[in-house]
Amino acid sequence: AEALRGGELLNLIFKFMTNASDDQCKQLYCFLVEKAFIPYLDMLSKWIYQGIIDDVYAEFLIKEDSTITKESIPKDFNDRFWECRFTFRSEQIPVFLQKISGKILQTGKYLNVIRECGLTIECPHSSDLDMSRAAFIIEGILKERELTEPIEKAHQWASKRLVDMIIQENNFMERMKSLKRYFFLEFGDFFVHFMDCAEEELDKPMKDVSQQKLESLLEMSIRTSCANWDQYKDDVSCELSNFTLIEQLFAIQNISGGGHMWGGGQRDIYNPQSNMKGMEIFTLDYKVEWPLTLILSRTSLTKFQLIFRHLFYCKYVERQLCSTWQLHQLTKDKASLPSFSQAYLIRQKMLHFSKNYLYYIVFEVLENKWNKFENNMKDVKSIDDIMKLHMKFLDECLKECLLLDSELLKILTKLNGCCQYFAKIIQRFTQRLKTEELSSEEGQENRRKVNEDDYSRMINKFSQNFEHFLQEFLSSMNKMRSRYDTHLLNLSTRLDYNDFYSNYLFGNNMHQG
């Protein structure tokens, strides 16, 4: 017993007190518990009413790791401030506080956040554990009454005070709506304005892309769109990643211990590809201040970025295909030519896929999950509830946008890549065709030129590749339905609502087999 102190010593004396059969011995141990508990009660009171640890000799049930600071939250993806700044010193937990130790830890953590904001804490229940009442508190410990009730009241007050500070004083939901506007591309005019002025820069190789220029174009696009009235628009900035979307997901899965979802084996993902375009590495970033960084941490913002990169690229591909449709309107007089009619057909199939997949992401996933999140936020009782809801919202968005399944995402990337390359080829061909028509008598030979074998083979190749990737995509979704929720069924139905691809693609495949 000489080496024991704090909670350990209290537990030993308390054990002797509860096991004593002699009244005099019991009174003696009760006296010892009371005297030994007074300094412990003082530490407990400071923690649950002020969020302060006053523990010189490491005797309290909570310990603080001062090396973990709030400044690391916006920078470190794996930051553990909330989980590791304050933790239990398990050997120092008095047995009569065991059942309520979780609320003791939470109460002080909530108050510490408020203190770190520079605010004064004035808990109206601070007199409940006054030192002058130590004898009565000790007397009631055996009935688990005199400590449980004051701690419960302190926990409820601290929890409500912090939630009010986060939601009302720091406008958490307005911040979330601001993030949604940009990272979920809620305003169509913002995307159109930005792409109109930045597409040329984003089409350059990554080494030639100017981040400063993109910053100015982004600011101009925000101020000339509906987003201009957003009070937090100045907190949005752009960023150029060193990785493709798939590489970033692979890295995050490895860092967070979920690498098995992306297949086994290691590969070198930290050497950026030199041939990447600005479009592949462009993303947004968002400045958040304490205490909202507790919720909108680097982990949270990275998940927003992953969704944005995926959505941004899909909308870019759709934009390219729509431009292809406009170019095809200029060559409608040549629709009778087999090579042209086949190009129109494959373009329409690509547009159908692109538009329906985007509709699925935006309305069936992002908007749907946002509405649920917004409704659930009305019932939160603590900042822990907010954190859980927020992470659940983002994780469900990532999952249902197919960003957590390597197989489907890789096939989807191939589909988008095929559509993008097709759009670029058609653009180049149409420009060349217009040039030939205007330049010389060669324009009279256009009908012969467009029917040349090389052009027909190119269109056929695009058609075969797209249909192969689409068949692979639909097949993979059908196989994975059993381990997913209904979202894959919804997407599959949207892409193949009349069983055209099921009958045509899979029928041809069986016939060829």
Coordinates of all heavy atoms in Angstrom, one line a residue, residues 23 26 47 63 67 100 112 119 157 163 218 237 294 327 373-374 377 408 415 425 430 441 462:
D23 N -18.0 -2.3 13.4 CA -18.4 -0.9 13.2 C -17.3 0.1 13.4 O -17.2 1.1 12.6 CB -19.6 -0.6 14.2 CG -20.9 -1.3 13.8 OD1 -21.0 -1.7 12.6 OD2 -21.8 -1.4 14.6
K26 N -15.1 0.0 10.4 CA -15.8 0.6 9.3 C -15.8 2.2 9.4 O -15.5 2.9 8.4 CB -17.3 0.1 9.3 CG -18.0 0.4 7.9 CD -19.2 -0.5 7.8 CE -19.7 -0.4 6.4 NZ -20.1 -1.6 5.9
W47 N -12.3 19.4 -13.0 CA -12.4 18.8 -14.3 C -13.8 18.9 -14.9 O -14.0 19.4 -16.0 CB -11.9 17.4 -14.2 CG -12.1 16.6 -15.5 CD1 -13.0 15.6 -15.7 CD2 -11.5 16.8 -16.8 NE1 -12.9 15.1 -17.0 CE2 -12.0 15.9 -17.7 CE3 -10.5 17.7 -17.2 CZ2 -11.5 15.8 -19.0 CZ3 -10.0 17.6 -18.5 CH2 -10.5 16.7 -19.4
K63 N -5.8 11.7 -17.8 CA -4.5 12.3 -18.1 C -4.5 13.1 -19.4 O -5.4 12.8 -20.3 CB -3.5 11.2 -18.2 CG -3.7 10.2 -19.3 CD -2.6 9.1 -19.2 CE -2.9 8.0 -20.2 NZ -1.8 6.9 -20.2
T67 N 1.3 17.1 -25.9 CA 2.0 17.1 -27.2 C 1.0 17.2 -28.4 O 1.3 17.5 -29.5 CB 2.9 15.9 -27.4 OG1 2.2 14.7 -27.4 CG2 4.0 15.9 -26.3
I100 N -19.6 5.7 -14.3 CA -19.9 7.0 -14.8 C -18.6 7.7 -15.3 O -18.6 8.8 -15.7 CB -20.6 7.9 -13.8 CG1 -21.4 9.0 -14.5 CG2 -19.6 8.4 -12.8 CD1 -22.4 9.7 -13.6
N112 N -13.1 21.8 -21.9 CA -11.8 22.2 -22.4 C -11.9 22.9 -23.8 O -11.1 23.8 -24.0 CB -10.9 21.0 -22.4 CG -9.5 21.4 -22.8 OD1 -9.0 21.3 -23.9 ND2 -8.7 21.8 -21.8
L119 N -13.2 31.4 -23.8 CA -14.5 31.8 -23.1 C -14.4 31.4 -21.6 O -13.8 30.5 -21.3 CB -15.7 31.1 -23.8 CG -15.9 31.4 -25.3 CD1 -17.1 30.6 -25.8 CD2 -16.2 32.9 -25.5
W157 N -25.1 19.9 -18.9 CA -24.8 21.4 -19.1 C -23.7 21.6 -20.0 O -23.8 22.4 -21.0 CB -24.5 22.1 -17.8 CG -24.4 23.5 -17.9 CD1 -25.4 24.5 -17.9 CD2 -23.1 24.2 -18.1 NE1 -24.8 25.7 -18.1 CE2 -23.5 25.6 -18.3 CE3 -21.8 23.8 -18.2 CZ2 -22.5 26.6 -18.5 CZ3 -20.8 24.8 -18.5 CH2 -21.2 26.2 -18.6
V163 N -22.6 22.3 -27.7 CA -23.4 22.2 -28.9 C -24.0 23.5 -29.4 O -24.0 23.9 -30.6 CB -24.6 21.1 -28.7 CG1 -25.6 21.2 -29.8 CG2 -24.0 19.7 -28.6
L218 N -10.9 30.9 -60.2 CA -11.9 30.4 -59.2 C -12.6 31.5 -58.5 O -13.9 31.5 -58.4 CB -11.2 29.5 -58.2 CG -12.1 28.9 -57.1 CD1 -13.1 27.9 -57.7 CD2 -11.2 28.2 -56.0
S237 N -10.6 27.8 -51.7 CA -9.3 28.0 -52.5 C -9.1 26.7 -53.3 O -9.9 25.7 -53.2 CB -8.1 28.2 -51.6 OG -7.9 27.1 -50.7
L294 N -12.8 20.6 -35.1 CA -13.0 19.4 -34.5 C -13.9 18.5 -35.3 O -13.7 17.3 -35.4 CB -13.7 19.6 -33.1 CG -12.9 20.0 -31.9 CD1 -13.8 20.4 -30.7 CD2 -11.9 18.8 -31.5
L327 N -21.2 19.8 -81.9 CA -20.4 19.6 -83.1 C -21.1 18.7 -84.2 O -21.0 19.0 -85.4 CB -19.0 19.0 -82.8 CG -18.0 19.9 -82.0 CD1 -16.8 19.2 -81.6 CD2 -17.7 21.2 -82.9
F373 N -29.0 13.9 -43.2 CA -28.0 14.6 -42.3 C -28.6 15.8 -41.6 O -28.6 16.0 -40.4 CB -26.7 14.9 -43.0 CG -25.8 15.7 -42.2 CD1 -25.1 15.2 -41.1 CD2 -25.6 17.1 -42.5 CE1 -24.2 16.0 -40.4 CE2 -24.7 17.9 -41.7 CZ -24.0 17.3 -40.7
E374 N -29.3 16.6 -42.5 CA -29.9 17.9 -42.0 C -31.0 17.6 -41.0 O -31.1 18.3 -40.0 CB -30.4 18.7 -43.2 CG -30.5 20.2 -42.9 CD -30.8 21.0 -44.2 OE1 -31.3 20.4 -45.2 OE2 -30.6 22.2 -44.2
M377 N -29.6 16.3 -37.6 CA -28.9 17.3 -36.8 C -29.8 18.0 -35.9 O -29.4 18.6 -34.9 CB -28.2 18.4 -37.8 CG -26.9 17.9 -38.3 SD -25.6 17.8 -37.0 CE -25.5 19.5 -36.4
L408 N -15.1 -1.3 -59.1 CA -16.1 -0.5 -59.8 C -15.5 0.8 -60.2 O -15.7 1.3 -61.3 CB -17.3 -0.3 -58.9 CG -18.2 -1.5 -58.8 CD1 -19.4 -1.2 -57.8 CD2 -18.8 -1.9 -60.1
L415 N -14.5 4.0 -68.3 CA -15.6 4.5 -69.0 C -15.5 6.0 -69.3 O -15.7 6.5 -70.4 CB -16.9 4.2 -68.3 CG -17.5 2.8 -68.5 CD1 -18.5 2.5 -67.4 CD2 -18.1 2.6 -69.8
I425 N -11.4 13.4 -79.9 CA -11.1 12.9 -81.3 C -12.2 13.5 -82.2 O -11.8 14.0 -83.3 CB -11.2 11.4 -81.3 CG1 -10.0 10.8 -80.6 CG2 -11.2 10.9 -82.8 CD1 -8.6 11.1 -81.2
T430 N -13.7 17.2 -86.5 CA -14.7 18.2 -87.0 C -13.9 19.4 -87.4 O -14.2 20.1 -88.5 CB -15.7 18.5 -85.9 OG1 -16.4 17.3 -85.5 CG2 -16.7 19.5 -86.5
E441 N -10.3 22.4 -103.1 CA -11.2 21.5 -103.8 C -11.3 20.1 -103.1 O -12.1 19.3 -103.3 CB -10.7 21.2 -105.2 CG -10.8 22.5 -106.1 CD -10.2 22.2 -107.5 OE1 -9.8 21.0 -107.7 OE2 -10.3 23.1 -108.3
F462 N -13.9 2.6 -80.6 CA -14.6 3.4 -79.5 C -15.8 2.6 -79.1 O -16.1 2.5 -77.9 CB -14.9 4.8 -79.9 CG -13.8 5.8 -79.7 CD1 -13.2 6.4 -80.8 CD2 -13.3 6.0 -78.4 CE1 -12.2 7.3 -80.6 CE2 -12.3 6.9 -78.2 CZ -11.7 7.6 -79.3

